[in-house]
Amino acid sequence: NNLIFYFQCQRITTLADIQNSKNLQELYIRKNKISDLNEVCWLRDLTKLKNLWLEENLAVIKLSQTCKYTVTDFLLVNYHYNLEVKVST
């Protein structure tokens, strides 16, 4: 029951609808419309999630332009997530 979701280029703006996918291990949401990294709070109960690909979302671009945090640092510091996060701007 391993789940992998590929939602690339789908204009997704929130991660709320994913919160009940308890077996989700990998989530690929690059090139969407996630404008706030705090959307990851919806993923906090997904204990099997190991890979999260956020590349080319507005939140990632804004974070990289305004602070020294990486997205991985942001998730670890703010949500205690230690995921393999793939990002680039």
Side-chain angles (χ1 to χ4, degrees), residues 24-27 46-52 82-85:
L24 185 63
Q25 290 188 331
E26 299 182 35
L27 176 58
L46 303 182
T47 58
K48 296 182 181 182
L49 184 63
K50 301 296 178 210
N51 292 304
L52 173 62
N82 191 9
L83 301 172
E84 177 183 340
V85 180

Side-chain angles (χ1 to χ4, degrees), residues 11-40:
R11 299 182 183 165
I12 293 172
T13 59
T14 184
L15 300 176
D17 295 333
I18 299 170
Q19 68 181 318
N20 293 317
S21 301
K22 301 300 182 193
N23 289 319
L24 185 63
Q25 290 188 331
E26 299 182 35
L27 176 58
Y28 299 92
I29 53 170
R30 67 185 283 270
K31 291 188 177 182
N32 278 287
K33 305 288 183 188
I34 306 294
S35 62
D36 185 351
L37 275 181
N38 290 307
E39 281 292 319
V40 298

Side-chain angles (χ1 to χ4, degrees), residues 53-64:
W53 193 350
L54 293 168
E55 182 179 5
E56 297 180 57
N57 277 281
L58 184 58
V60 173
I61 294 167
K62 287 192 302 190
L63 182 68
S64 67

